[in-house]
């Protein structure tokens, strides 16, 4: 049996990746696991983040018989992939900032990376820039506030444009022409960001590339798997005791028919 895709993030940001996967794999079972009890990941110590993520993902992957794991979080992907690959035999896809396509697209050779503070300071991020953005001016902008603004938006609250504008002001002043959204939460705010930054700034994220990678790996992995016809199931699991009614509504609108706390989830 070809099992569900397990999509993992610290909060609802990974739904931006889920949306892209659904476009290319509309009939694929998915389990969306979000560790909102420890949100935002960009503020956690690395050892704490790694241990918690690896245990949570491996437990859930085993429980649901996952066929593939997507770590839909830049902060986690830069740290937890080696630990996961040691313990899981299924394909694992991480998310990295879209530095390479940004460098190719920027006519001014001036790009920015907007991410959480954790992603900004990681050596992995610096290595991406050195490898793929040679010859470009690259500016780094860290924000955890945008994560919470995105969470609030998806829960049904209006976006505080004053707070958003204040967070983006250094970017507006920089004269760059291409901005990498290096956190999966940030595409949720893309329309508002574009409104503030103007059409002269291209916004790039990794969603489409991740979805294409998932399709490729599933095709490779499924060669020895039997196709099974069954009702599609979308499950969402959170790590707090409860979530807001607004977020429950948004998840249901996206097709999730089972929305439960990790402590009470029984997916056997």
């Amino acid at each position: 049996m070809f099992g569900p895709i397990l999509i993992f993030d610290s909060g609802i940001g990974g739904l931006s990746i889920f949306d892209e996967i659904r476009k290319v794999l509309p009939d694929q079972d998915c389990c969306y696991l979000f560790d909102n009890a420890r949100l935002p990941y960009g503020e956690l110590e690395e050892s704490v983040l790694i241990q918690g993520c690896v245990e949570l993902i491996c437990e859930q992957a085993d429980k649901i018989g996952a066929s593939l794991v997507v770590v839909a979080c830049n902060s986690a992907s830069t740290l937890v992939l080696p630990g996961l690959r040691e313990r899981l035999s299924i394909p694992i896809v991480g998310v990295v900032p879209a530095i390479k396509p940004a460098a190719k697209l920027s006519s001014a050779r001036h790009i920015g990376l907007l991410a959480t503070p954790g992603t900004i300071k990681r050596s992995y991020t610096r290595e991406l820039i050195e490898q793929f953005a040679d010859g470009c001016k690259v500016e780094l902008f860290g924000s955890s506030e945008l994560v919470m603004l995105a969470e609030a938006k998806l829960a049904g609250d209006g976006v505080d444009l004053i707070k958003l504008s204040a967070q983006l002001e250094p970017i507006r002043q920089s004269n760059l022409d291409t901005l990498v959204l290096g956190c999966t939460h940030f595409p949720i705010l893309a329309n508002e960001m574009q409104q503030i930054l103007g059409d002269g700034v291209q916004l790039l994220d990794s969603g489409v590339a991740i979805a294409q990678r998932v399709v490729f790996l599933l095709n490779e992995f499924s060669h020895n798997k039997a196709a099974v016809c069954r009702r599609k199931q979308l499950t969402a699991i959170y790590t707090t005791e409860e979530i807001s009614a607004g977020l429950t509504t948004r998840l249901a609108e996206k097709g999730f028919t089972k929305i439960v706390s990790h402590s009470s989830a029984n997916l056997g």
Side-chain angles (χ1 to χ4, degrees), residues 155-205:
D157 298 337
V159 177
D160 188 329
L161 293 178
I162 294 176
K163 283 186 178 180
L164 180 59
S165 184
Q167 293 288 308
L168 298 180
E169 186 58 25
I171 299 172
R172 289 184 60 196
Q173 298 293 332
S174 70
N175 295 317
L176 55 81
D177 70 349
T178 306
L179 180 66
V180 176
L181 303 183
C183 171
T184 54
H185 278 81
F186 296 170
I188 294 168
L189 299 169
N191 289 339
E192 292 84 0
M193 288 184 181
Q194 199 75 73
Q195 176 185 335
I196 292 168
L197 296 174
D199 293 336
V201 178
Q202 299 181 88
L203 303 180
L204 286 183
D205 65 78

Side-chain angles (χ1 to χ4, degrees), residues 9 13-14 16-17 20 71-75 77-78 94-103 105 111-117 119-120 125 128 138-143 146-147 150 153 164 167-168 171-172 176-198 201-210:
D9 190 22
S16 63
I17 301 293
E20 296 298 337
V71 181
C73 173
N74 288 269
S75 295
S77 290
T78 56
V95 179
V96 298
I99 297 294
K100 184 176 181 179
L105 282 173
I111 67 178
L113 170 62
L114 177 62
T116 62
T119 298
I120 289 295
T125 302
L128 278 178
V138 182
E139 297 191 62
L140 306 178
F141 307 93
S143 174
L146 294 180
V147 173
K153 178 181 178 180
L164 180 59
Q167 293 288 308
L168 298 180
I171 299 172
R172 289 184 60 196
L176 55 81
D177 70 349
T178 306
L179 180 66
V180 176
L181 303 183
C183 171
T184 54
H185 278 81
F186 296 170
I188 294 168
L189 299 169
N191 289 339
E192 292 84 0
M193 288 184 181
Q194 199 75 73
Q195 176 185 335
I196 292 168
L197 296 174
V201 178
Q202 299 181 88
L203 303 180
L204 286 183
D205 65 78
S206 303
V208 172
I210 295 303

Side-chain angles (χ1 to χ4, degrees), residues 3-26:
I5 296 172
L6 176 61
I7 303 171
F8 174 80
D9 190 22
S10 58
I12 49 76
L15 291 174
S16 63
I17 301 293
F18 165 80
D19 287 342
E20 296 298 337
I21 291 173
R22 297 286 293 141
K23 289 176 184 177
V24 293
L25 295 168

Side-chain angles (χ1 to χ4, degrees), residues 7 9 11-15 18 30-34 235-237 251 256:
I7 303 171
D9 190 22
I12 49 76
L15 291 174
F18 165 80
C30 292
C31 176
Y32 185 73
L33 171 64
F34 56 111
T235 302
I237 303 171
L251 289 166
F256 289 95

Side-chain angles (χ1 to χ4, degrees), residues 17 20-21 24-25 93 206-219:
I17 301 293
E20 296 298 337
I21 291 173
V24 293
L25 295 168
V93 179
S206 303
V208 172
I210 295 303
Q212 292 172 345
R213 181 66 177 163
V214 167
V215 170
F216 172 79
L217 287 173
L218 281 184
N219 286 337

